[in-house]
Amino acid sequence: VDALMNARRVRRRVRCKTLVMHGERDEVVPIANGEKVWRNARNAVEPLWLKGVGHNDIETRGRVPVWDRLKKFLDELKADEED
């Protein structure tokens, strides 16, 4: 995966608020790629880096923090809409 290309695409194309979640033990797509995408997102919100979580187990090992962070993100979007 070309992290720099993905980060550049995010920088050029994504204008909405962006939540990045990534497993710190991902051996398929290194965490550095997620960090680059997060740093390049124009409207990035607080990311979720999942300790002990890999590439294919985010929905099982990271389930509770993922849902909690996703709910917080959606609440933030709703609050922005109401302002």
Side-chain angles (χ1 to χ4, degrees):
V1 176
D2 185 344
L4 188 55
M5 184 181 347
N6 288 338
R8 286 179 181 158
R9 283 184 187 147
V10 166
R11 168 68 83 202
R12 279 194 322 262
R13 298 179 183 175
V14 179
R15 289 178 170 65
C16 62
K17 288 201 173 190
T18 306
L19 169 61
V20 176
M21 298 186 280
H22 201 107
E24 290 183 350
R25 295 187 65 197
D26 191 330
E27 295 178 357
V28 177
V29 180
I31 183 95
N33 292 24
E35 291 167 341
K36 284 179 186 176
V37 168
W38 176 67
R39 282 194 308 272
N40 279 278
R42 294 177 191 211
N43 292 305
V45 298
E46 178 186 350
L48 177 61
W49 310 125
L50 294 145
K51 293 183 186 332
V53 176
H55 187 79
N56 292 314
D57 59 356
I58 195 168
E59 66 281 346
T60 55
R61 299 194 71 198
R63 183 177 65 229
V64 172
V66 165
W67 283 111
D68 288 348
R69 183 62 188 99
L70 188 55
K71 182 183 181 315
K72 181 180 175 187
F73 178 63
L74 294 173
D75 289 345
E76 292 166 358
L77 292 178
K78 184 176 180 184
D80 287 349
E81 246 183 34
E82 293 172 353
D83 286 342

